[in-house]
């Protein structure tokens, strides 16, 4: 087990400040670039926009200094950069479709970005210790499941683009599944920390295979059924894949037993096979995955691929491609839009930003001192990785296209809100993980305390 | 719990590696293949959103690209669409570039030609989109307009050549079309227009001057029979030929009658010169049979029959049939039976007679200029063939002058100038209306223009028509447009 003292006790807040300035600089440069390419002028609102983003980022930074001074210094700059680049691309696609600021998706996205960042700050201020979250295990579970199934109810549930994953009030529509994902991750983490011993130690061996007790197997079956329900009733492949993968990974981390992976994957295989047999829309996805250019089929994936191909190595340059030729260019396919205009190089940079964010999240998990924190950080980080994999993998034909939002980038308020909340939670856990056990100058170092912290169960 | 977290990290790393590999596969390995896929709208749009070069006639653009504020960025415009459609062709997003220099010079006009590569080096480095080359055509706008007006509402075609160089001075085909409707950016509208044009029974998309269905050349073919006779050394213009009112064709019960049903001279005899002058069928039918098909076919081939010519559009090769029996040969010698020719080929025959037996390759593009209007390439006149000797050419020239002076082509006369010509009235099928012809050149002593005119189905004169009545006056107006300058 890694010892806590191996982590650097420095706050690294200044590093964060420099990186933040860098991130904002890149975003503004990209915004100016789009203006120059599409409208032949530097956008008039470059200054005001810059000040706006700068203020939000700076306040966030100050909140971290105040409330989580040891938090990971990379998370906020990466989130800011990804969010900003997403905004630029959404704005650029608005311009291509001849939409003004008011009509387009960019202004909405900007407002949601601000709102989401504020929510993240409020969370950081309100929750001083992430462990408090584990007190509400079943409340969170119920809330999560409720949110997840909310779109299935009449009146508020909405069917958009073939998936019933939206709820709407008047002009607003939300994907409650995004928030449900976080609530369920917290629930998983809390529940698994409480039951990990039972899950990993108690049970009979069946054909040489350690089989958990039925009452311990309950949650995994519930997760499996819930993800199937999402798949079946909401036609949301991406989310069900995400929930299930996330739950299996967290089970594995909590129990350290590979058997869970085997059980999880076989259940998943059975579930997808049955679903594939039963549902035409799933079969279509698979056909398209194998041959995106199949005639008589949707050319959605084909258009994205052609867009990426036209970008090639170096891209057409921001504002100089035709990302609007692809459907959902600013949401599900925003990564193809980036691939087109920034080229393979730009796409790789973006993927590496995500990878870095995931890595920082997992490192937070390794460094966290409590089981709940470890599991939660790992779950949140892995859910990010899974989500990027499912959506980008769908666009680039690693797996069949299922349709999920690209974290921080896709147009859509609920997704932004959820991802900023994830960042807030990771920041909160990382603050605890990186904080020295006893701060210097706090009346001397108590060496004996180190030993009482370490609890090892295996 | 740390080691499973690390393993989860490895899984996450593997997932990101998969994404990096798949995007490399798409954007690097398969990029070219995906870009070249048929129906890739981005690639299409990219090629249509470049500034395409203009096509100039006499310093004025007959095809140019205007900047517009839509997805295509540039709109192709044809300011005098109908008049120049057979020359320019069209440039359409859906149907590509075709049927004219737009199609033949596509890579230069679009700027993608390798010949522009070194000129483009700077643009490539500075990221400027390539700009197409400008083409300057040989067409003389006055001659083109004169030919267009003279043909009026009749279906047919006119070609005017500079006999000394082969430069095409006019190329008219009617009915024609408006290439603007195909170049539009309203794609459903373009597709509708295309369907309408391509199913129109009058075939407006066909450039009748160089292709499509070939015409029976009728009596204009007698020029080639004359050339074959003179070149054989066995005949002179004064050679006496049989000229009965109707030539009895061997092995058949049919005759080859003269148009007016009268003998061509006293005692049913005539000279070759006179036979050409009055377009005597019986004399030329018998001349053909005496010469034999090989001599005539060889002569026709030397003039260009059966040969591929590009001007730069492909000219459909004219046909002189093979394996003829004697009656078929007699009919072929006067341009009937299965002989078929393009107006371009007929004009080339006249032009080579006018040019003392040197036949020049016809061409339409005078020079190619880059975006700074520097000449990149210009066409040098080229000899196509030497089908007849200078003497033969001179003799036929004199004979053709008599056609206009006192024969079937009198309506082509230009006051104060010697004009050479030959009429033709060709039946394409029994009972069908005749296609009427005139070909010739002026001034006969120093030719500046050679012309071929064909009017389908007798034009407005219908069954009253003959080459001398309908086609000759049209040819005169075209020749006047050149010589009056």
């Amino acid at each position: 087990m890694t010892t806590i003292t191996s982590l650097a006790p420095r706050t690294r807040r200044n590093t964060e400040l420099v990186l933040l300035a860098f991130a904002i600089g890149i975003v503004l440069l990209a915004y100016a670039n789009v203006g120059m390419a599409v409208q032949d002028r530097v956008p008039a609102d470059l200054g005001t926009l810059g000040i706006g983003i700068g203020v939000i980022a700076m306040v966030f930074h100050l909140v971290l200094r105040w409330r989580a001074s040891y938090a990971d210094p990379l998370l906020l700059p990466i989130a800011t950069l990804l969010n900003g680049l997403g905004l630029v691309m959404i704005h650029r696609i608005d311009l291509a479709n001849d939409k003004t600021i008011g009509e387009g998706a960019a202004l909405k996205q900007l407002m949601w970005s601000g709102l989401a960042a504020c929510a993240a700050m409020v969370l950081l201020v309100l929750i001083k210790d992430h462990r408090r979250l584990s007190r509400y295990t079943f409340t969170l579970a119920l809330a999560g499941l409720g949110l997840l199934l909310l779109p299935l109810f009449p009146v508020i549930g909405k069917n958009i683009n073939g998936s019933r994953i939206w709820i709407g009030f008047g002009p607003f529509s939300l994907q409650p599944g995004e928030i449900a994902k976080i609530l369920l991750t917290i629930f998983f983490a809390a529940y698994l920390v409480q039951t990990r011993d039972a899950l990993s130690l108690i049970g009979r061996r069946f054909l040489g295979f350690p089989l958990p007790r039925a009452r311990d197997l309950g949650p995994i079956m519930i997760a499996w059924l819930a993800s199937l329900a999402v798949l079946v009733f909401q036609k949301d492949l991406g989310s069900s894949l995400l929930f299930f993968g996330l739950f299996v990974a967290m089970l594995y981390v909590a129990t350290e037993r590979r058997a869970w992976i085997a059980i999880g994957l076989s259940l998943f295989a059975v579930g997808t096979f049955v679903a594939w047999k039963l549902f035409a829309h799933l079969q279509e996805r698979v056909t398209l995955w194998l041959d995106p250019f199949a005639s008589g089929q949707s050319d959605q994936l084909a258009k994205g691929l052609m867009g990426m191909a036209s970008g090639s190595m170096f891209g057409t340059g921001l504002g100089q491609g035709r990302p609007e030729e692809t459907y959902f260019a600013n949401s599900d396919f925003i990564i193809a839009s980036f691939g087109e205009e920034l080229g393979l190089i730009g796409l790789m940079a973006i993927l590496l930003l995500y990878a870095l964010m995931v890595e920082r999240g997992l490192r937070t998990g390794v460094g966290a001192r409590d089981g709940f924190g470890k599991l939660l950080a790992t779950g949140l980080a892995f859910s990010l990785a899974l989500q990027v994999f499912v959506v980008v993998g769908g666009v680039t034909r690693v797996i069949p296209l299922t349709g999920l939002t690209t974290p921080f980038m896709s147009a859509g308020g609920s997704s932004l809100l959820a991802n900023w909340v994830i960042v807030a939670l990771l920041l909160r856990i990382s603050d605890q993980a990186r904080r020295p056990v006893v701060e210097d100058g706090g009346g001397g170092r108590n060496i004996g305390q180190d030993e009482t912290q370490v609890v090892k169960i295996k | 719990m740390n080691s499973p977290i690390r393993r989860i990290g490895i899984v996450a790393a593997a997932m990101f590696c998969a994404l990096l590999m798949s995007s490399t596969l798409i954007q690097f390995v398969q990029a070219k293949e995906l870009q070249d896929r048929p129906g890739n709208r981005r690639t299409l749009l990219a090629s249509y959103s470049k500034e395409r070069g203009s096509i100039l006639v006499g310093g004025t653009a007959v095809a140019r690209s205007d900047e517009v504020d839509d997805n295509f960025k540039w709109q192709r415009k044809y300011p005098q669409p109908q008049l120049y459609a057979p020359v320019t062709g069209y440039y359409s997003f859906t149907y590509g570039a075709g049927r004219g220099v737009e199609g033949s010079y596509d890579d230069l006009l679009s700027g993608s030609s390798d010949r522009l590569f070194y000129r483009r080096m700077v643009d490539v480095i500075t990221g400027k989109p390539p700009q197409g080359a400008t083409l300057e055509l040989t067409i003389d706008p006055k001659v083109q307009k004169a030919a267009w007006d003279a043909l009026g509402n009749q279906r047919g075609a006119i070609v005017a050549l500079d006999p000394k160089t082969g430069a095409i001075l006019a190329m008219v085909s009617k009915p024609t079309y408006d290439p603007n409707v195909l170049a539009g950016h309203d794609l459903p509208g373009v597709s509708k227009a295309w369907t309408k044009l391509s199913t129109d029974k009058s075939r407006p998309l066909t450039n009748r001057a160089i292709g499509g269905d070939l015409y029976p050349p009728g009596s204009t073919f007698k020029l080639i029979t004359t050339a074959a006779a003179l070149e054989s050394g066995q005949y002179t213009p004064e050679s006496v030929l049989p000229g009965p009112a109707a030539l009895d064709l061997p092995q058949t019960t049919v005759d080859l009658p003269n148009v007016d049903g009268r003998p061509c001279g006293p005692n049913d005899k005539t000279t070759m010169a006179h036979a050409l002058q009055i377009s005597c069928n019986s004399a030329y039918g018998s001349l053909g049979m005496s010469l034999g098909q090989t001599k005539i076919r060889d002569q026709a081939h030397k003039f260009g029959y059966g040969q591929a010519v590009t001007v730069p559009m492909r000219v459909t090769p004219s046909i002189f049939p093979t394996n003829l029996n004697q009656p078929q040969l007699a009919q072929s010698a006067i341009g009937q039976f299965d002989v078929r020719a393009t107006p371009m080929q007929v004009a080339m025959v006249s032009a080579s007679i006018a040019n003392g037996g040197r036949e020049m390759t016809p061409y339409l593009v005078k020079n190619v200029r880059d975006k700074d209007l520097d000449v990149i390439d210009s066409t040098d006149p080229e000899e196509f063939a030497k089908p007849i000797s200078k003497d033969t050419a001179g003799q036929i020239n004199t004979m053709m002058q008599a056609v206009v002076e006192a024969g079937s082509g009198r309506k082509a006369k230009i006051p104060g100038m010697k004009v050479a010509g030959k009429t033709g009235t060709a039946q394409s099928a029994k009972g069908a209306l005749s296609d009427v012809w005139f070909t010739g050149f002026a001034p006969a002593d120093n030719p500046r223009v050679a012309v071929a005119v064909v009017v389908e189905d007798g034009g407005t004169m219908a069954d009253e028509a003959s080459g001398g009545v309908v086609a000759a006056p049209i040819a005169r107006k075209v020749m006047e447009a050149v010589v009056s300058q």
Side-chain angles (χ1 to χ4, degrees), chain B residues 436-476:
Chain B
V436 297
W437 285 89
F438 185 89
T439 183
F441 48 89
D445 41 7
N446 178 27
R448 286 170 56 197
V449 56
V451 64
V453 176
V454 66
V455 182
E456 284 178 21
D457 299 341
T460 49
M461 300 276 287
D463 58 350
E464 297 291 304
S466 70
V469 176
V470 176
I474 297 172
R476 191 196 74 211

Side-chain angles (χ1 to χ4, degrees), chain A residues 1-2 196 249 252-253 256 258 293 303 305-310 312-313 322-326 339-340 343-344 347-348 351 354-355 358 362 365-366 371 374 378 382 385 388-389 392-393 396 398, chain B residues 1-12 14-16 18-28 30-32 34-35 37-43 45-46 49 69-73 127:
Chain A
M1 180 158 176
T2 313
R196 55 195 292 247
Y252 167 65
V253 172
E256 304 193 19
R258 279 172 215 159
F293 299 98
K303 287 197 164 195
L305 290 175
M306 287 173 172
M308 290 178 69
S310 84
S312 199
M313 269 297 267
R322 297 177 187 276
E324 71 277 8
E325 287 285 315
T326 307
E340 177 172 359
L344 181 57
L347 187 55
M348 285 196 159
L351 287 176
Y354 281 118
V358 170
L362 290 175
V366 169
K374 274 181 184 301
T378 307
F382 192 62
V388 171
F389 178 73
V392 181
T396 59
V398 178
Chain B
M1 278 192 272
N2 284 348
S3 51
I5 296 178
R6 290 212 173 82
R7 285 196 201 105
I8 289 286
I10 293 169
V11 171
M15 293 194 304
F16 277 102
L19 297 182
L20 292 177
M21 284 195 289
S22 64
S23 43
T24 307
L25 199 66
I26 294 165
Q27 298 201 267
F28 186 69
Q30 301 172 336
K32 182 86 178 85
L34 285 166
Q35 283 164 13
R37 272 198 82 84
N40 186 338
R41 252 176 72 84
R42 278 186 183 79
T43 309
L45 281 168
S49 55
D69 187 24
D70 69 8
N71 228 347
F72 298 84
K73 300 198 177 96

Side-chain angles (χ1 to χ4, degrees), chain A residues 26 34 39 45 75 166 169 173 222 229 290 301 303 373 385 397 420 450:
Chain A
I26 293 175
V34 166
Q39 298 171 313
D45 51 359
L75 290 170
W166 301 80
F169 335 87
S173 43
I222 289 170
L290 297 174
L301 186 55
K303 287 197 164 195
R397 281 184 74 204
W420 274 104
D450 270 349

